Amino acid sequence: MGIADSPEAVATAGATTSPRADPDLNHTLRRRPSAGTVAEFDSLNDLVRDSGVDDSVGAKIGGGGDNGRIGGSDGSAESVNAVQDKKGLGENDRAADPSAAKFTYRPSVPAHRRVKESPLSSDAIFRQSHAGLINLCIVVLVAVNSRLIIENLMKYGWLIKTGFWFSSRSLRDWPLFMCGLTLPIFPLAAFVVEKLVQQKCISEAAVVSLHIVITTTSILYPVVVILRCDSAVLFGVALMLFACIVWLKLVSYVHTNYDMRALHKAVEKGDATPSSLNTEYPHSNNLKNLAYFMVAPTLCYQTSYPRTACVRKGWVFRQLVKLIIFTGVMGFIVEQYINPIVKNSKHPLKGDWLYAIERVLKLSVPNLYVWLCMFYCFFHLWLNILAELLCFGDREFYKDWWNAKTVEEYWRMWNMPVHKWMVRHIYFPCLRHGVPKGVAIVIAFLVSAVFHELCIAVPCHIFKLWAFIGIMFQVPLVLITNYLQNKFRNSMVGNMIFWFIFCILGQPMCLLLYYHDLMNRKGKLD
């Protein structure tokens, strides 16, 4: 027996010669299937379609034309009936020969026609849908964590105290509360300075000096208040976050107005072409725009923002309910899981390394849950609620950072307000002044590290630079993951390194370090 050169030749030869050689067989193939064989037709059509046999091959198998095709181009039984009804054939004619189905897919037709990859192979895994696996992971997570919650409650009981949400000590934090209420004084002072320079009452050098004083005071003022008051750590962190946001907004407001003044002067001299931004500058800098910017979910100042048409009250209510639920979940995990683990652990740098690794790994899972809930509550729920109430249109507060293949991609995608601020007011100004790209990236990480240290070390009254070191450690990780991504294309090696270092090792380690240093400080004070 000869073998054809291609699968198509085999299919064509086997399909065209057999019916013509046997007239009775050709007569049998022309008969119509019964209604009882529709399911069999469907399975055969699926087999033909999966094997890559097209309609022309199917027609040749059946003797040519519509007589040999099972359901037309889409392989459905309805198409078979439509063709039969068109030729005037009824249900009795269709039930004439139930054995016709066995001739529709011949053994000589090739079952393997194309080069295909397995769905889980490295080349095809990211082109497949994994919805079923995601559902499986959700079911497993729910089952496993439900068991852990029940086991924890049976072993330790209900550990959440009534003072978690409110206690008598919270009333002693009124200096921090008053400090937060007085922070809007600094944007107002910056606005007065901008109005003075617009009216040419002060020089540019005086404007720069005054703005440096205002912005520096806006960040040092809360630091002094927190350090002088023995307040709760949670309230101190909230105040420092608020102060850092005010500082970032002030820098953007000042830097943008400085650039707009420079462009306006260039247009007046004829060195630049006028634009809508240049022509609106003196009038657009008003108190209303500044007030909107200070409460808007953005850190980059501009005279106008994309706006939505209305406020969806029902949508806002649903997001608020979600915010309350996930905030309660965070509180439950912190009080029921994280606090007992941290209290029962030793200092990770002053003991058995194997024990420290076990504590970090045990702490990593609840810490990861809290961090993910925090991200969802703040970046998705709260910022979207604020944007909806203010009709703020640009709501790209984050991107798909969970798919980041390098650490650099993660830092570009997970916090878009800060990333846009860094690019606008740190990175590109450095490049315009001739700073190399690598140095500009290091400067951006340095600024981020300083503010991370302020937000954690100041409320804890501990200056061990753990947060600063953790952020600056991202610089070599950026280089490592970029190298791995360039070497292994289309891989997720960098993503795995990010998840392991950042969420499994980094955050739990920092939490243990700051907790034990805080407990040691309180022990010395007592």
Side-chain angles (χ1 to χ4, degrees):
M1 180 183 293
I3 300 176
D5 294 335
S6 64
E8 288 78 0
V10 174
T12 305
T16 56
T17 58
S18 298
R20 294 177 182 176
D22 190 352
D24 296 333
L25 178 60
N26 191 23
H27 175 72
T28 304
L29 289 174
R30 292 176 182 271
R31 297 180 182 179
R32 295 298 180 265
S34 64
T37 60
V38 171
E40 185 178 2
F41 281 175
D42 289 339
S43 62
L44 288 172
N45 280 313
D46 292 338
L47 185 59
V48 172
R49 203 163 45 244
D50 292 339
S51 65
V53 180
D54 57 9
D55 292 336
S56 61
V57 175
K60 294 175 182 178
I61 294 174
D66 293 330
N67 297 329
R69 186 175 297 182
I70 309 174
S73 61
D74 58 352
S76 62
E78 289 78 0
S79 300
V80 175
N81 297 335
V83 173
Q84 294 166 351
D85 292 338
K86 184 177 180 181
K87 294 186 177 183
L89 299 175
E91 292 293 332
N92 295 331
D93 294 324
R94 294 172 189 167
D97 190 359
S99 64
K102 65 181 180 180
F103 298 103
T104 57
Y105 185 69
R106 303 299 301 274
S108 59
V109 177
H112 307 283
R113 297 170 56 88
R114 295 195 303 270
V115 176
K116 297 181 181 180
E117 293 286 346
S118 298
L120 296 180
S121 63
S122 59
D123 293 334
I125 187 171
F126 297 113
R127 296 195 300 266
Q128 305 292 329
S129 174
H130 300 92
L133 293 178
I134 293 175
N135 292 335
L136 174 62
C137 292
I138 292 174
V139 171
V140 172
L141 282 174
V142 171
V144 171
N145 287 282
S146 299
R147 184 192 67 81
L148 291 176
I149 291 174
I150 295 174
E151 181 183 355
N152 181 273
L153 292 175
M154 293 175 61
K155 186 175 183 180
Y156 300 105
W158 188 261
L159 299 179
I160 299 178
K161 303 298 188 296
T162 56
F164 175 74
W165 302 104
F166 182 81
S167 63
S168 58
R169 186 176 179 180
S170 303
L171 299 176
R172 299 203 301 267
D173 292 324
W174 66 268
L176 275 65
F177 180 71
M178 295 303 297
C179 177
L181 291 180
T182 55
L183 282 179
I185 295 176
F186 299 100
L188 183 60
F191 174 75
V192 172
V193 172
E194 287 296 322
K195 281 299 181 182
L196 291 176
V197 72
Q198 284 182 13
Q199 299 174 2
K200 298 182 180 180
C201 297
I202 55 178
S203 62
E204 285 290 340
V207 171
V208 173
S209 300
L210 289 174
H211 279 314
I212 290 176
V213 173
I214 293 172
T215 53
T216 305
T217 307
S218 67
I219 198 68
L220 291 181
Y221 169 51
V223 171
V224 173
V225 173
I226 293 174
L227 293 179
R228 290 178 63 89
C229 300
D230 187 16
S231 59
V233 175
L234 182 62
F235 287 94
V237 171
L239 178 58
M240 282 307 306
L241 287 174
F242 184 41
C244 291
I245 291 173
V246 171
W247 187 89
L248 294 173
K249 284 177 176 284
L250 279 177
V251 170
S252 180
Y253 175 74
V254 171
H255 198 181
T256 302
N257 278 285
Y258 176 83
D259 188 60
M260 292 172 66
R261 281 198 307 273
L263 292 175
H264 186 69
K265 292 178 181 179
V267 170
E268 290 180 347
K269 294 179 180 179
D271 297 336
T273 57
S275 63
S276 60
L277 185 64
N278 298 331
T279 56
E280 293 177 359
Y281 163 65
H283 310 287
S284 60
N285 185 24
N286 52 60
L287 192 58
K288 180 180 178 181
N289 287 344
L290 177 60
Y292 182 85
F293 166 63
M294 294 306 297
V295 295
T298 180
L299 299 176
C300 295
Y301 173 77
Q302 57 193 62
T303 56
S304 62
Y305 296 94
R307 305 291 292 272
T308 55
C310 60
V311 177
R312 298 170 292 177
K313 298 180 181 178
W315 184 88
V316 171
F317 176 76
R318 290 192 298 270
Q319 305 308 307
L320 283 173
V321 172
K322 292 180 183 178
L323 183 62
I324 294 173
I325 292 175
F326 279 93
T327 302
V329 170
M330 282 194 296
F332 175 80
I333 296 175
V334 169
E335 286 291 295
Q336 196 73 24
Y337 288 92
I338 294 181
N339 279 352
I341 295 175
V342 172
K343 291 179 180 178
N344 296 329
S345 63
K346 301 177 182 178
H347 198 286
L349 301 181
K350 299 178 181 179
D352 186 7
W353 281 99
L354 191 61
Y355 174 82
I357 294 174
E358 186 272 336
R359 290 285 97 182
V360 169
L361 292 178
K362 187 174 183 179
L363 187 61
S364 61
V365 175
N367 179 81
L368 178 60
Y369 289 164
V370 170
W371 186 81
L372 291 177
C373 288
M374 179 277 300
F375 168 81
Y376 183 72
C377 288
F378 183 76
F379 286 95
H380 183 73
L381 296 177
W382 171 245
L383 291 183
N384 273 287
I385 290 172
L386 189 59
E388 185 70 21
L389 295 176
L390 297 174
C391 296
F392 189 84
D394 186 6
R395 303 183 184 183
E396 191 185 44
F397 304 120
Y398 57 91
K399 293 183 179 179
D400 57 334
W401 54 266
W402 45 87
N403 293 327
K405 296 181 180 180
T406 64
V407 174
E408 184 180 4
E409 285 185 6
Y410 163 75
W411 286 107
R412 289 203 309 262
M413 294 191 297
W414 96 278
N415 189 343
M416 292 306 295
V418 172
H419 170 69
K420 292 177 181 178
W421 188 93
M422 287 287 183
V423 170
R424 194 185 192 204
H425 301 290
I426 300 293
Y427 182 73
F428 280 119
C430 289
L431 296 183
R432 283 195 295 269
H433 286 81
V435 178
K437 180 180 177 180
V439 178
I441 294 176
V442 173
I443 293 174
F445 273 103
L446 182 64
V447 174
S448 177
V450 170
F451 280 98
H452 277 81
E453 183 68 23
L454 285 176
C455 291
I456 300 177
V458 172
C460 295
H461 297 231
I462 297 171
F463 297 94
K464 294 292 186 68
L465 301 179
W466 298 125
F468 182 88
I469 295 173
I471 298 299
M472 293 307 297
F473 184 69
Q474 305 299 309
V475 176
L477 286 180
V478 167
L479 300 177
I480 294 173
T481 53
N482 286 341
Y483 169 77
L484 293 176
Q485 178 61 22
N486 293 331
K487 185 175 181 180
F488 305 101
R489 293 289 183 179
N490 298 325
S491 67
M492 298 295 286
V493 178
N495 185 266
M496 295 179 184
I497 293 176
F498 148 69
W499 281 114
F500 179 78
I501 297 295
F502 189 75
C503 296
I504 306 301
L505 179 61
Q507 290 188 6
M509 179 65 74
C510 287
L511 181 61
L512 287 176
L513 290 172
Y514 274 106
Y515 172 79
H516 286 286
D517 289 340
L518 182 63
M519 290 298 101
N520 292 336
R521 174 183 171 273
K522 289 186 176 181
K524 292 179 180 179
L525 292 178
D526 295 338

